Structures are given as C-alpha cells and as structure tokens.
Amino acid sequence: MTRPQIGVAGPVLAAPGQSVFTLGAARREAVLLPELAALTERHRLACPPYGRILDAIGATPPYARLADLPWLPVRLFKTHELRSVPAHEVFRVLTSSGTTGQAPSRIHLDRAAAAAQTRMLAATMRQVLGERRLPMLVVDMRSVVRDPMLSARGAGVLGMMNFGRDHTFVLDDRGEADTRAVHDFLARHGGEPFLIFGFTFMVWLHLLGLGADLSQGVLIHSGGWKRLAEQAVDNAEFRRRLADECGLSRVHNFYGMVEQIGTVFLEGPEGDGLYCPDFADVVIRDPETWQEAPTGVPGLVEVVSTLPTSYPGHVLLTEDLGVVRGVDDGAWPGKRFEVLGRLPRAEARGCSDTMGRG
C-alpha cells in the first residue's frame, strides 16, 4: 500500500528570519484544519491500531473545526507501539521519562519527521533568541549530559545546548553552585545577550543565590512547577524575584512533550501566557463532556500539531489542566493559555479499549 504524501511540517516551513508566531485564531483554524484532517487519514491508513480507534469511535471526515478532530490520550504511547512508517524507516525512537512503575512513551521518527521537528523547534526559539547562537549558561551539572543512559532532564539540556555556544554549567558535579565558572562566563559575555537554560525549580534553587548581574540574559525554562507551588511560588513571583535579584527580565517558560517533539508553546515577553506557533494550536476540553471549554474556563489541554507525520501524535489529549486566557489579545496572535497543573489520576477512558480489536 502506498502511503499518502502530505507536507512534512504543515503550512509553515519557516525560512531564516521568518517568525512562526503570525497567525490569528481564525486564520490558524482555516490553515491547520485541512492539513490535520489529511494527516488523520494518512495515519488511519498507515497505522492499523490508530485506524481501529477511529473506526471504533466513528470518526469520519469532514471535520468542521479543529475541536472536531479525533484525539488520542497521550498515555497510549506508554502502552502501545503507534507508528505510521515501516520499521526499517524508523530513524530514531525517543522515550519520555516514565513515573515509577510506568513505562515511558516511545515515539518513532523517520528522517523526515526528525528533520522537521529540529527545524521547527529552532524556528520557534528564534522568536526570542534571534538568529545567532548565544553564549550559554546551563543551570545544571555537566554530568547530566554525559550519562550513557540519558535521562529526560539530560536530553532536555542537550537539546537546548544546540542553541548556544561556549556552554558553561552553573553547578559542579556535586550539585553545588560553581560561582567562579559563572563569574568567569559573565566576564567574557556579560555585556552582550546570552542564553540561560534550566528546569524551573533548578533555576529557582540555584540562580537566585549567585549574586550575579544577569541583566543581559534571556532565560528559557520549563518544568518543576509542582515543587515551586508547594512553596507558594507562582509565575509572577518567579519572574519578580529574578528581576529584582538578578536583573533578569527576559524570561520565557515553555510547554512541550516528547509525544509532540519539536512543538513548543512559548511564553510571551510579558509573562501573560503561552502562545502557539503557527503549525500548532490548543483546545481546552471539559473533562466531563469532552466538549471545547469557553475562554476562561479550565479543562484538559489538547495539543495539535502538524509535525507528527511518522506516528499518530498530531491530536493529543494530555493529562494537564489548562485554560485559555485570551484570543488575539496579546503580544503574539492566536490563543494565549496557561497550564494549571496535572489532573490527579487523569484518565481518558474509551480509546485504549479499542486497541486490541480488529
């Protein structure tokens, strides 16, 4: 059987210097809907387990809105092999960090999909980092990227290191602040823009105590909010302390997952929410009715992206609670949303039961 061919990276293949934060909500819906509908049919034909799910739930085109596209619960990638390319075309298998007693997700990429996710992640980060690789401070230990059994944390650090140069690690291999290394870095680069990357709790724990002028830095961070919430630290307090104690005002949180690798939802410059790149969007669903929740009403976060062409991960229901805060009213066009945290014991029932049928 010949697999249908569609665009690898959807409607937006960013050229150097081209922003991927340009589409308003209505235009985004019009551009993404036919691309994602075509991708759904490609995966239906190429991935039999996914096809059985669509048959079981009666999902058939046409789809009137993005919210009408059939979704998969993200946890299915922890329990089932879902790929839309032959085994011999698989170029890389990515794994997520599984919680205790739970298998990790396994994401199958062919060369085209791997190239697209790398290119589009770079295009997204370019929005806040510019065209040049910046000198880079890594709020972690060098040992996290040297471990042969690379952890999700190590993989995250290694991936972000592609956007920097002259990499300097804030922590030594005992996990203590290496203040001399940081001050040497700032002596070399502190008068020009530089990149800082770290997981949110690591940034809070180690960056604030350095006593360093980081006013030229651009901080990219993600994850670790649960531990900060336990200390009653929200995003506003996080940003305020960084500005007051380090002079760090260019701060961008991001939301992403290995199941949609290459798709990153980036915090705007004012910290007013997360924004979708042009090849992606979010739908917030009521966890009782599964209908799309109105703006301002919390629900489960569904993420859609045109990047997953080698596996059916283009429409995924996560286990995170979120809320759309506004539409076409912020620094960048499209939906402006916030992730509120994990839904306790979230389980999207129904879809996984169809996997063994047929």
Side-chain angles (χ1 to χ4, degrees):
M1 177 177 64
T2 301
R3 286 185 285 116
Q5 298 297 309
I6 64 170
V8 169
V12 181
L13 290 171
Q18 178 182 330
S19 173
V20 292
F21 291 90
T22 67
L23 296 178
R27 176 61 179 157
R28 184 185 306 264
E29 179 104 7
V31 169
L32 291 185
L33 181 59
E35 187 78 12
L36 289 163
L39 197 48
T40 298
E41 296 311 300
R42 165 179 169 165
H43 290 312
R44 183 197 297 267
L45 294 175
C47 181
Y50 179 70
R52 288 196 292 272
I53 291 173
L54 298 191
D55 291 345
I57 63 177
T60 56
Y63 306 104
R65 303 166 55 243
L66 288 178
D68 296 334
L69 291 165
W71 46 262
L72 287 185
V74 71
R75 67 170 52 193
L76 280 187
F77 290 92
K78 298 181 184 297
T79 56
H80 296 80
E81 180 176 295
L82 297 170
R83 56 178 169 82
S84 301
V85 294
H88 70 271
E89 291 184 13
V90 173
F91 169 66
R92 182 176 297 145
V93 179
L94 303 177
T95 59
S96 67
S97 55
T99 56
T100 302
Q102 188 177 56
S105 295
R106 292 176 60 82
I107 303 303
H108 296 78
L109 300 177
D110 62 4
R111 289 185 180 276
Q117 62 91 6
T118 299
R119 184 168 65 253
M120 301 313 285
L121 176 60
T124 303
M125 289 300 175
R126 193 166 58 224
Q127 182 76 23
V128 294
L129 298 180
E131 296 291 336
R132 297 182 300 113
R133 288 191 179 189
L134 300 178
M136 184 174 183
L137 273 179
V138 181
V139 190
D140 216 313
M141 304 177 288
R142 187 175 294 275
S143 58
V144 300
V145 298
R146 289 176 170 166
D147 187 348
M149 300 296 291
L150 196 64
S151 65
R153 175 173 144 194
V157 170
L158 201 59
M160 283 300 300
M161 286 175 66
N162 291 324
F163 302 108
R165 59 181 175 85
D166 193 14
H167 306 101
T168 298
F169 287 77
V170 171
L171 306 181
D172 61 26
D173 283 341
R174 296 172 297 173
E176 298 176 0
D178 188 342
T179 54
R180 179 167 183 171
V182 172
H183 286 286
D184 286 349
F185 173 91
L186 292 174
R188 296 192 303 275
H189 303 298
E192 60 182 345
F194 59 90
L195 168 61
I196 309 170
F197 172 73
F199 292 95
T200 306
F201 186 73
M202 300 282 286
V203 170
W204 178 261
L205 197 61
H206 299 291
L207 208 59
L208 288 173
L210 290 176
D213 178 6
L214 304 177
S215 57
Q216 293 299 310
V218 181
L219 172 64
I220 306 293
H221 70 101
S222 185
W225 282 109
K226 181 179 179 181
R227 295 179 70 181
L228 287 184
E230 292 169 354
Q231 300 181 24
V233 177
D234 60 11
N235 190 43
E237 175 66 6
F238 180 83
R239 294 172 65 93
R240 185 191 69 78
R241 287 282 301 277
L242 287 170
D244 289 350
E245 299 186 27
C246 306
L248 190 55
S249 58
R250 284 173 288 180
V251 177
H252 299 273
N253 185 22
F254 72 86
Y255 176 66
M257 62 201 69
V258 72
E259 292 86 359
Q260 272 192 5
I261 190 72
T263 303
V264 165
F265 301 91
L266 195 61
E267 185 179 37
E270 303 303 319
D272 58 350
L274 298 161
Y275 291 81
C276 310
D278 289 347
F279 51 90
D281 207 350
V282 296
V283 175
I284 305 298
R285 291 196 181 275
D286 183 312
E288 297 294 331
T289 67
W290 304 117
Q291 298 302 305
E292 184 173 14
T295 298
V297 177
L300 280 174
V301 178
E302 175 188 302
V303 288
V304 304
S305 170
T306 61
L307 293 188
T309 54
S310 59
Y311 65 99
H314 57 305
V315 186
L316 296 179
L317 189 72
T318 75
E319 295 175 353
D320 294 319
L321 284 171
V323 60
V324 173
R325 295 298 189 192
V327 181
D328 294 333
D329 66 346
W332 302 328
K335 293 174 184 171
R336 178 172 57 83
F337 73 102
E338 180 183 356
V339 177
L340 304 174
R342 188 73 106 183
L343 183 69
R345 296 178 299 279
E347 183 175 1
R349 293 182 173 85
C351 287
S352 60
D353 296 337
T354 70
M355 297 294 292
R357 299 180 189 175

